[in-house]
Amino acid sequence: CKLTEHAAGFQAGEFHKIGGNVKDTAIIEKVLKGDTASFEMLILKYQSKLFATSMNIVKNRELAEDITQEAYLKAFQKLDTLKDREQFFPWIKRIALNIALNHFEKEKRVVDIENDDDEGGSFFDNITTGESAEDLTLKDELHKYVRNFVEALPDKLRVVIMLREVEDMSYEEIAEMMNIPLGTVRSRLFNARQIIKDRLINQGLADGMYQIS
């Protein structure tokens, strides 16, 4: 059966009751000692974040759910290979991203730049340089345009900027994950940002005072 389906019946209240604050290291230790049911806690803890990451790539709910389940299955099967148990989420997130990118390459689906995970920032937060009421209003308006412009980017540019700005991956990590040279990552990011900036300027929505970094 699918791991995330198995965890679906595991109520959130029960999760917190039996150890919602338990560290990943402790949970992993229990799983590796034979208490495989404890893996459900890791599923409940991170499945929404993994789903959001998958959706950012494939923009298809059913496929994103399948990717999330596949990522958990692979993580469960290879849990004993994780050397740093404090890094469980970055590890399984990389697994999910790899699976999602493989699907993206096969299906050539569009990327959704919107991120359902509220943690962390993105280049959307750096569109304007000021924090006045006028600047914040403009920033909110620019967000909408930037998202549209990102969605209109060529696939190879869109994926790279999503990994960098939404998933907060380093240039080196992107190069390794996509199997492209580091210089290609830098070039694609520069081109993507320049295209977005040019379109904003053409729409009269940006000038020298406003930056996309």
Side-chain angles (χ1 to χ4, degrees):
C1 65
K2 296 180 178 179
L3 286 171
T4 51
E5 289 179 351
H6 185 51
F10 199 59
Q11 299 299 319
E14 184 180 357
F15 168 60
H16 290 292
K17 179 180 178 181
I18 67 172
N21 295 321
V22 178
K23 291 185 176 180
D24 292 353
T25 52
I27 298 173
I28 292 171
E29 185 70 22
K30 293 177 66 176
V31 174
L32 292 177
K33 287 183 176 180
D35 183 8
T36 55
S38 291
F39 193 75
E40 293 174 352
M41 288 192 284
L42 294 174
I43 294 176
L44 290 174
K45 189 173 183 179
Y46 296 120
Q47 62 181 352
S48 62
K49 293 182 179 181
L50 291 183
F51 174 78
T53 293
S54 300
M55 278 290 288
N56 281 336
I57 301 289
V58 299
K59 202 178 179 182
N60 179 289
R61 176 170 292 275
E62 184 176 352
L63 182 54
E65 290 174 350
D66 289 342
I67 290 170
T68 302
Q69 292 171 355
E70 186 177 346
Y72 270 115
L73 180 59
K74 288 188 174 182
F76 180 77
Q77 293 171 336
K78 298 181 179 180
L79 193 58
D80 60 342
T81 68
L82 178 60
K83 295 180 180 180
D84 187 351
R85 296 175 183 174
E86 293 183 352
Q87 295 297 309
F88 175 78
F89 178 64
W91 178 64
I92 194 172
K93 183 176 181 179
R94 178 176 288 271
I95 292 174
L97 277 171
N98 275 321
I99 297 170
L101 285 170
N102 286 336
H103 279 284
F104 176 80
E105 289 300 320
K106 292 178 181 178
E107 303 295 334
K108 296 298 181 183
R109 298 180 186 273
V110 294
V111 174
D112 184 356
I113 195 65
E114 291 184 293
N115 187 11
D116 293 334
D117 183 357
D118 291 331
E119 295 183 5
S122 74
F123 75 138
F124 297 133
D125 297 323
N126 299 317
I127 291 175
T128 65
T129 56
E131 291 299 329
S132 67
E134 182 179 355
D135 283 331
L136 292 175
T137 299
L138 177 59
K139 177 184 288 188
D140 184 62
E141 185 69 18
L142 289 178
H143 283 184
K144 300 175 184 177
Y145 281 94
V146 170
R147 288 190 177 99
N148 289 334
F149 293 153
V150 168
E151 290 178 355
L153 288 171
D155 289 347
K156 64 181 182 180
L157 301 184
R158 186 168 55 237
V159 171
V160 170
I161 201 167
M162 184 278 295
L163 292 176
R164 173 61 179 169
E165 307 294 358
V166 177
E167 299 301 339
D168 197 29
M169 295 177 63
S170 70
Y171 290 17
E172 292 78 9
E173 289 172 330
I174 296 171
E176 179 183 355
M177 179 164 288
M178 299 193 68
N179 194 28
I180 57 177
L182 183 60
T184 300
V185 174
R186 295 182 184 279
S187 175
R188 290 182 182 180
L189 283 170
F190 174 82
N191 290 336
R193 288 166 174 160
Q194 192 62 45
I195 289 172
I196 295 170
K197 182 178 180 180
D198 289 345
R199 289 177 178 174
L200 286 171
I201 292 174
N202 290 338
Q203 293 290 327
L205 297 167
D207 54 30
M209 296 178 61
Y210 299 102
Q211 303 175 1
I212 297 176
S213 57

